[in-house]
Amino acid sequence: MTTALPSGAKYVIVGAGVHGLSTAWHLAMEMESRGTGSGKDVVLIDKTGPGAGATGIACGCVRNLYMTEPLHAILRHSVDVWNYDPVLFGFQQVGYVSAGEENQIADYER
């Protein structure tokens, strides 16, 4: 992270939350793949720092259970991704309370 802004930039992304970071990254990757530029053409600015605003205070849920069977493998994989490097990703596994209908008891127990 730098505090000095360049004298010019081809693209400026305002906001270093999840959407700004993703936009800057995808733009840089697309320009590189087309041979029209690189990450050096993208300036990302934020009043505080990456993830310091709404992104940093938003709650999140990484689920490993869902009532739709086809999603089970995808959800298990997403938990594996977060657990790959929880410090890097800022992942702190806790728990949550889920309320469901009586006809879902067997699913929860499974």
Side-chain angles (χ1 to χ4, degrees), residues 8-97:
K10 192 171 184 180
Y11 299 97
V12 176
I13 309 296
V14 179
V18 67
H19 295 105
L21 289 168
S22 178
T23 300
W25 186 81
H26 282 90
L27 177 60
M29 293 297 102
E30 184 66 22
M31 287 190 306
E32 189 171 300
S33 73
R34 292 180 182 204
T36 58
S38 71
K40 293 178 182 179
D41 299 307
V42 181
V43 172
L44 180 66
I45 60 174
D46 191 273
K47 66 181 176 183
T48 306
T55 297
I57 60 174
C59 70
C61 178
V62 179
R63 296 177 68 165
N64 58 6
L65 172 68
Y66 200 76
M67 298 307 167
T68 306
E69 188 70 35
L71 290 177
H72 289 190
I74 294 169
L75 294 170
R76 281 191 297 273
H77 179 68
S78 75
V79 172
D80 291 342
V81 169
W82 284 99
N83 281 319
Y84 173 77
D85 193 338
V87 173
L88 175 68
F89 296 135
F91 180 55
Q92 182 178 359
Q93 191 166 359
V94 289
Y96 68 96
V97 175

